[in-house]
């Protein structure tokens, strides 16, 4: 680890404030502010991603006294590291929020990996920055463990995402009002090390555009294109081409979210990555009973702006905000409009391909009635989203061309049902299975390829909130065994793992309304 090389181009090539006060204030003319992490009392390494560490050229630290554990806890900067917080703005719940910035994140710099790639390392929960807006800059174990687990789970699901290298407890307490109900409690603190090629987000460009700072905006765009989208750089940035690429990346990302049933919960423009990565894991959740209006975020419970069914259109709205910022640098904005329109086209095409695979079909047309009627069946009776698709692959007629749908086949969906189906429910499901069977008969995908195709895109294991909550409660008592088990299980989400079958089941009844197991707040 001592040979790790940092080369911090972001700070070197973009203007920053090097004498930043930690007092919350408006930062103008700068993309970043210099800041050091705040030391903690008794850091302890709770979790480590071996796969990510290997790709970064880092070995798992042997003890809590290791220099890297101290760095990942914010107690020191290693040679080459450069502490800073990024400045950005954003639209939150549809309204312009002004300057936001890294309020509890301190970046450590850009690590050059053994393969020559650059990965930014940042500590979430590392203390005060100029963007803390009156908060303490810390994070609790509850939210930090959720982010660590989910970042790595999403990676293994094949969903574009930031990664998480480590989870470190601080040995100090943090006071949080979990549900904003006037009952704050002291909770154990923790720090997550997040990793990505870049943490630039839509709001990074919105803020200088809103302020009329064309110079900073141009510098940010030029840097972003040169470093992260060189195909659109030739003496200067092809802004329209770059924006089209962002739109397409975002469309594909949203298809992945819908494919695996992931609900982000806080799709503000400051939480949207220019690289098309899932970023900022807050009150996320997995769709359990299928309900397109479900949101895991208590703050969004009334408006449901960021519910599962609205995620694709919200992503396009967010892209429009980014496009408006970039338009201030162009004389002709028509190419930006065309790129934004292409988002919907790419999303529809990729969504149809993804759901064709989920159903073991060679192709599926956008807005296909087969999928619409399946979703109607899922919604009419509380039916688990992920489990139901996994069950469909086990229907006899999927792998046996001679088999016909039978009333008893509805019972094969029982692991996904949260309630006993009525006679009408069973009739509706049987009618759909017959329609599905007819489609399989005329589809060109070979019979022997159906189940492997379906199992490769329909996860058996996802990070359900109740599973994360069980790991949190154990970790708060000093027991990390459940955390470690979940790490092992979620590394292979599409595989049959008989020894971990209990992690594949639907949400238990006791978790329906338990705090942390259903809806969550932004508090962390």
């Amino acid at each position: 680890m001592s040979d790790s090389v940092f080369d911090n181009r972001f700070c070197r090539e973009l203007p920053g404030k090097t004498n930043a006060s930690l007092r919350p204030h408006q930062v103008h003319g700068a993309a970043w502010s210099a800041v050091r992490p705040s030391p903690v009392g008794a850091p302890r390494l709770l979790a480590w991603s071996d796969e990510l560490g290997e790709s970064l050229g880092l070995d798992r630290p042997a003890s809590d006294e290791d220099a890297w554990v101290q760095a990942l806890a914010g107690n020191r900067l290693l040679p080459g590291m450069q502490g800073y917080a990024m400045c950005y703005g954003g639209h939150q719940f549809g309204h312009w929020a002004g300057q936001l910035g890294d309020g509890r994140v301190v970046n450590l710099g850009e690590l050059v990996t053994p393969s020559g790639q650059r990965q930014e390392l940042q500590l979430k929960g590392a203390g005060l920055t100029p963007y803390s807006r009156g908060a303490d800059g810390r994070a609790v174990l509850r939210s930090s463990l959720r982010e660590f687990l989910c970042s790595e789970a999403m990676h293994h699901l094949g969903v574009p995402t930031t990664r998480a290298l480590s989870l470190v407890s601080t040995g100090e307490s943090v006071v949080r009002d979990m549900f904003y109900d006037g009952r704050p409690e002291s909770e154990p603190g923790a720090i997550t090390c997040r990793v990505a090629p870049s943490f630039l987000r839509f709001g990074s460009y919105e803020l200088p555009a809103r302020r009329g700072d064309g110079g900073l905006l141009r510098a940010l765009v030029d840097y972003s294109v040169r470093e992260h989208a060189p195909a659109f750089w030739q003496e200067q940035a092809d802004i329209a081409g770059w924006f089209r690429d962002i739109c397409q990346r975002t469309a594909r990302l949203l298809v992945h979210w819908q494919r695996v049933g992931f609900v982000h919960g806080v799709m503000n423009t400051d939480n949207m990555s220019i690289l098309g990565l899932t970023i900022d894991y807050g009150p996320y959740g997995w769709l359990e009973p299928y309900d397109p209006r479900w949101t895991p975020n208590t703050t969004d419970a009334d408006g449901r702006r960021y519910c599962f069914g609205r995620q694709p259109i919200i992503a396009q709205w967010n892209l429009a905000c980014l496009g408006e910022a970039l338009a201030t640098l162009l004389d002709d904005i028509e190419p930006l409009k065309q790129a934004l329109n292409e988002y919907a086209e790419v999303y529809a095409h990729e969504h149809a391909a993804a759901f064709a695979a989920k159903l073991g079909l060679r192709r599926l047309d956008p807005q296909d009635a087969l999928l619409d009627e399946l979703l109607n069946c899922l919604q009419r009776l509380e039916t688990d989203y992920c489990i139901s698709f996994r069950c469909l692959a086990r229907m006899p007629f999927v792998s046996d061309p001679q088999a016909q749908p039978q009333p008893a086949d509805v019972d094969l969906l029982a692991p996904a049902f949260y309630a006993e189906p009525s006679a009408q429910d069973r009739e509706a499901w049987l009618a759909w299975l017959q329609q599905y069977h007819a489609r399989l008969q005329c589809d060109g995908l070979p019979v022997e390829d159906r189940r492997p195709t379906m199992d490769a895109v329909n996860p058996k294991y996802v990070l359900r909130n109740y599973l994360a909550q069980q790991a949190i409660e154990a970790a708060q008592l000093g027991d990390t065994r459940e955390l470690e088990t979940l790490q092992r299980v979620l590394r292979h989400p599409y595989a049959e793992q008989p020894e971990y079958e209990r992690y594949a089941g639907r949400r238990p009844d006791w978790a329906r309304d338990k705090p942390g197991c259903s809806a969550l707040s932004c508090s962390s």
Side-chain angles (χ1 to χ4, degrees):
M1 288 192 182
S2 60
D3 297 329
S4 300
V5 176
F6 284 83
D7 184 20
N8 307 309
R9 290 183 180 176
F10 180 80
C11 291
R12 188 168 64 245
E13 298 189 15
L14 290 170
K17 299 293 186 182
T18 57
N19 58 346
S21 166
L22 293 183
R23 174 185 55 82
H25 63 279
Q26 293 293 304
V27 176
H28 292 270
W32 55 274
S33 297
V35 59
R36 292 181 67 93
S38 300
V40 301
R44 176 189 168 209
L45 182 64
L46 299 182
W48 177 269
S49 172
D50 290 314
E51 299 92 341
L52 177 56
E54 182 179 356
S55 72
L56 297 175
L58 304 177
D59 298 324
R60 179 191 289 262
S63 74
D64 292 332
E65 286 69 43
D66 187 282
W68 264 92
V69 173
Q70 296 300 313
L72 296 172
N75 284 2
R76 63 180 294 184
L77 293 178
L78 300 181
M81 288 182 175
Q82 182 174 353
Y84 65 93
M86 296 175 69
C87 181
Y88 51 82
H91 279 85
Q92 298 192 326
F93 296 95
H95 303 284
W96 175 244
Q99 177 182 292
L100 298 168
D102 287 335
R104 52 184 168 146
V105 165
V106 178
N107 297 268
L108 299 178
E110 301 162 39
L111 178 67
V112 181
T113 71
S115 65
Q117 297 179 325
R118 293 169 179 272
Q119 295 287 331
E120 295 181 12
L121 275 60
Q122 61 174 220
L123 304 182
K124 185 173 182 178
L128 290 172
T129 79
Y131 311 102
S132 296
R133 302 188 297 281
D136 59 15
R138 293 301 189 186
V140 296
L141 175 60
R142 163 173 49 86
S143 64
S144 301
L145 185 151
R146 283 171 50 81
E147 176 142 13
F148 174 84
L149 278 178
C150 197
S151 300
E152 292 304 283
M154 292 284 270
H155 169 73
H156 292 294
L157 282 166
V159 181
T161 180
T162 58
R163 302 288 299 276
L165 174 64
S166 62
L167 174 66
V168 176
S169 63
T170 64
E172 300 176 351
S173 296
V174 179
V175 177
R176 286 293 182 270
D177 187 350
M178 182 175 178
F179 288 108
Y180 306 115
D181 58 3
R183 293 185 292 179
E185 295 183 3
S186 180
E187 302 184 47
I191 296 173
T192 310
C193 179
R194 309 196 296 188
V195 180
S198 174
F199 286 91
L200 284 164
R201 57 220 43 225
F202 294 3
S204 301
Y205 310 88
E206 286 186 277
L207 184 60
R210 287 264 176 165
R211 287 173 166 174
D213 190 345
L216 177 58
L217 177 60
R218 171 61 72 175
L220 272 166
V221 168
D222 287 349
Y223 167 83
S224 302
V225 175
R226 282 198 315 270
E227 294 298 320
H228 301 295
F232 302 100
W233 179 268
Q234 189 171 5
E235 297 185 0
Q236 63 180 1
D238 174 5
I239 295 176
W242 177 53
F243 180 62
R244 179 177 293 105
D245 182 64
I246 295 173
C247 289
Q248 293 178 358
R249 288 171 179 263
T250 304
R252 295 187 181 99
L253 173 66
L254 268 292
V255 169
H256 277 294
W257 287 4
Q258 306 302 101
R259 173 179 67 84
V260 301
F262 175 76
V263 189
H264 185 280
V266 199
M267 288 180 65
N268 297 327
T269 59
D270 56 296
N271 292 338
M272 298 292 293
S273 161
I274 62 161
L275 300 181
L277 305 176
T278 313
I279 190 172
D280 288 337
Y281 290 93
Y284 64 81
W286 255 269
L287 201 60
E288 290 172 320
Y290 176 74
D291 177 2
R293 284 180 48 77
W294 184 74
T295 174
N297 189 352
T298 56
T299 308
D300 196 28
D302 292 332
R304 300 184 183 272
R305 177 179 177 84
Y306 298 142
C307 65
F308 177 75
R310 286 182 55 81
Q311 288 187 137
I313 192 65
I314 289 296
Q316 188 174 35
W317 191 94
N318 289 342
L319 285 164
C321 292
L322 174 61
E324 289 176 3
L326 300 179
T328 62
L329 297 177
L330 298 175
D331 294 326
D332 181 10
I333 65 171
E334 192 59 33
L336 297 180
K337 293 180 179 179
Q338 294 174 0
L340 187 62
N341 289 335
E342 288 175 15
Y343 164 88
E345 298 171 8
V346 172
Y347 178 83
H349 175 77
E350 297 284 344
H351 184 272
F355 278 78
K358 285 176 74 67
L359 292 171
L361 298 171
R362 185 182 293 275
R363 60 165 294 163
L364 192 69
D365 293 329
Q367 307 303 320
D368 194 298
L370 181 69
L371 179 58
D372 289 342
E373 291 173 21
L374 169 60
L375 298 179
N376 288 337
C377 283
L378 293 177
Q379 192 168 8
R380 65 173 292 152
L381 172 70
E382 281 195 326
T383 306
D384 194 280
Y385 184 75
C386 288
I387 296 175
S388 62
F389 279 99
R390 194 79 180 186
C391 288
L392 288 178
R394 275 114 190 106
M395 291 291 164
F397 59 81
V398 168
S399 52
D400 181 357
Q402 304 304 317
Q404 298 286 330
Q406 304 294 329
D409 289 343
V410 177
D411 295 327
L412 297 177
L413 291 162
F417 293 150
Y418 284 88
E420 185 68 26
S422 66
Q424 292 77 14
D425 294 327
R426 296 182 68 87
E427 289 174 5
W429 267 109
L430 181 58
W432 184 85
L433 291 174
Q434 291 169 339
Q435 182 182 358
Y436 178 38
H437 172 259
R439 182 68 64 88
L440 289 173
Q441 294 299 102
C442 63
D443 186 79
L445 190 68
V447 170
E448 62 272 17
D449 291 342
R450 286 177 186 161
R451 182 180 289 183
T453 296
M454 297 170 75
D455 283 353
V457 295
N458 292 318
K460 179 167 183 175
Y461 301 95
V462 295
L463 184 59
R464 297 170 184 272
N465 278 341
Y466 87 90
L467 294 175
Q469 184 62 28
Q470 289 177 321
I472 289 166
E473 291 173 0
Q476 288 174 334
L477 297 175
D479 184 352
T480 60
R481 287 176 296 178
E482 194 67 15
L483 166 60
E484 293 161 2
T485 300
L486 279 174
Q487 277 189 266
R488 288 194 296 272
V489 173
L490 296 171
R491 285 191 185 107
H492 307 285
Y494 300 102
E496 295 290 339
Q497 303 180 66
E499 68 275 32
Y500 297 125
E501 192 68 25
R502 73 179 184 89
Y503 293 93
R506 62 182 182 267
R507 182 192 64 204
D509 288 341
W510 60 260
R512 180 181 291 268
D513 299 311
K514 179 181 170 66
C517 296
S518 50
L520 302 102
S521 74
C522 296
S523 170
S524 62

